Amino acid sequence: METITSRENAKIKYACAVRDSEKQRAADGLFFAEGPKLCLELAKSCTPRAMYATAAALVKTPELAQFDPAEIAPHVAEKLSGTKSNQGVFALFETPVPPADTLDTARRILMLEGVQDPGNVGTLLRSAAAFGFDAVVLGPGCASPLSPKTLRSSMGAAGRLPTLHSDDLPAALAALRARGVTTLATALYRSRPLDEAGNDFPGGLCVVIGSEGQGLTDRTVEACDMAVRIPMTDRVESLNAAVAGSVLLWHFRGV
């Protein structure tokens, strides 16, 4: 197998473009992942289009051989990673396409509005998968679920959990309510303690979470059935969006 030794190799430059550009990812239906554990996890639910690995990484993780990775020199791995301290494994995967009827059938839905931090979005995706939610809807201003930083935080959950985008969350909430889904907004003001939300949602449940700094917009809160809050001591004003969201997802894991 020939080793790629040039940092200017066309395939390497293309992989970097997919890594860095949301527009490129959307246009080509691909996303970039780094690290043996993440790539192997993603390969369980997403189709690898191309994989690159150093000789040392192939020796350390022989399971990668099944994907016929192209061998790359260490300095090429540095370009793909952007750092010298990398694990030497990189891949391009086909972007998963959720079924067209996802929101018509999903019973437990996580909806995010304005959650810009990739770490928070990734953590929430991971928690949603862990606690049995069926789908995630990302509204305006959210970090891309398939950006490298989000993927690292989600540990591949974005590949297993149907993830959709909506430019109008109030309209999406209205459609969910029309089919009997109970919609709960997380808010500090004019809200009920979480324990008062109940646990009987025969038509399904949608939990809506906003950014740590701005919270949810008034339109989105008004489009929901109820606003809820997590009871806390007066030592802090609020929780990190990923922490608060994960608490809610755990609370409603069995509905």
Side-chain angles (χ1 to χ4, degrees):
M1 179 171 56
E2 184 178 351
T3 301
I4 297 176
T5 59
S6 173
R7 293 164 62 99
E8 300 306 310
N9 178 280
K11 293 180 179 179
I12 300 304
K13 292 174 72 174
Y14 176 71
C16 289
V18 173
R19 177 195 67 192
D20 296 337
S21 171
E22 175 66 24
K23 185 176 181 180
Q24 187 82 56
R25 291 194 290 271
D28 295 348
L30 298 174
F31 66 94
F32 175 95
E34 175 178 349
K37 185 176 180 180
L38 178 57
C39 289
L40 287 172
E41 187 64 32
L42 284 166
K44 296 176 183 178
S45 54
C46 300
T47 303
R49 182 74 66 82
M51 188 173 289
Y52 306 95
T54 61
L58 291 171
V59 170
K60 188 174 182 179
T61 313
E63 307 97 292
L64 295 170
Q66 63 184 300
F67 303 109
D68 194 25
E71 188 174 319
I72 56 175
H75 62 276
V76 176
E78 289 177 11
K79 177 167 183 174
L80 283 169
S81 175
T83 67
K84 291 187 177 181
S85 56
N86 63 77
Q87 298 179 72
V89 179
F90 314 88
L92 297 180
F93 288 93
E94 294 181 8
T95 301
V97 180
D101 64 347
T102 295
L103 287 186
D104 296 327
T105 59
R107 278 192 45 79
R108 281 177 285 184
I109 302 160
L110 169 64
M111 187 175 287
L112 305 180
E113 180 180 53
V115 182
Q116 298 177 328
D117 182 78
N120 283 343
V121 172
T123 299
L124 287 166
L125 287 168
R126 191 174 182 180
S127 294
F131 299 130
F133 276 64
D134 304 314
V136 177
V137 179
L138 300 176
C142 286
S144 168
L146 296 176
S147 72
K149 289 183 178 179
T150 308
L151 281 171
R152 283 196 295 271
S153 296
S154 75
M155 279 308 298
R160 296 187 300 273
L161 194 63
T163 303
L164 305 97
H165 297 266
S166 172
D167 293 328
D168 190 342
L169 292 189
L173 287 162
L176 290 174
R177 292 178 68 182
R179 73 171 179 90
V181 176
T182 300
T183 55
L184 301 180
T186 54
L188 290 176
Y189 305 106
R190 296 189 298 279
S191 59
R192 301 182 191 179
L194 185 56
D195 289 341
E196 295 183 11
N199 57 12
D200 184 21
F201 308 102
L205 174 71
C206 178
V207 176
V208 192
I209 297 167
S211 69
E212 183 175 348
Q214 302 298 323
L216 294 170
T217 61
D218 290 342
R219 284 187 66 236
T220 296
V221 174
E222 291 165 2
C224 292
D225 291 297
M226 184 192 311
V228 297
R229 66 182 183 275
I230 300 170
M232 299 182 294
T233 68
D234 58 4
R235 295 178 183 176
V236 294
E237 181 180 342
S238 63
L239 292 172
N240 168 276
V243 173
S246 295
V247 170
L248 288 161
L249 294 170
W250 177 85
H251 181 83
F252 292 115
R253 68 195 182 283
V255 303

